[in-house]
Amino acid sequence: MNTLPPPGTKRWVASRKAAVVRAIRAKTLTMVDACERYSLSIDELMQWVRAAERHGEPGLRATKFQAYRHLEAESAR
């Protein structure tokens, strides 16, 4: 848990998002606890998890996140 961002973090860079996703995958942090600790919605957290699964840590960058989301929407058509 000491590798996690501090509670109440507001500025989310890819490495901080990745640390939260890794903790969830390792079952050292539940999704509910992460949402409460960081004031996140379950939808936002699920987007992080999906982006990390599909694209790794680079997929968690804000600019890449928007680009990947756009590409996924086009491929769903």
Side-chain angles (χ1 to χ4, degrees):
M1 293 283 274
N2 61 356
T3 60
L4 287 172
T9 295
K10 299 292 182 208
R11 187 171 184 281
W12 287 100
V13 295
S15 60
R16 291 181 185 149
K17 292 176 185 179
V20 172
V21 171
R22 280 192 302 272
I24 290 168
R25 285 184 182 157
K27 299 187 189 311
T28 58
L29 181 67
T30 67
M31 293 190 83
V32 171
D33 289 340
C35 289
E36 289 175 6
R37 180 178 173 117
Y38 301 114
S39 299
L40 300 170
S41 70
I42 193 72
D43 290 333
E44 183 174 16
L45 190 54
M46 287 300 301
Q47 288 176 346
W48 293 2
V49 170
R50 282 192 300 269
E53 287 172 353
R54 292 179 180 147
H55 310 289
E57 189 172 326
L60 295 171
R61 293 186 186 127
T63 54
K64 295 292 183 188
F65 192 75
Q66 293 168 357
Y68 291 137
R69 192 167 43 194
H70 176 72
L71 290 173
E72 288 172 2
E74 285 183 0
S75 68
R77 291 182 198 168

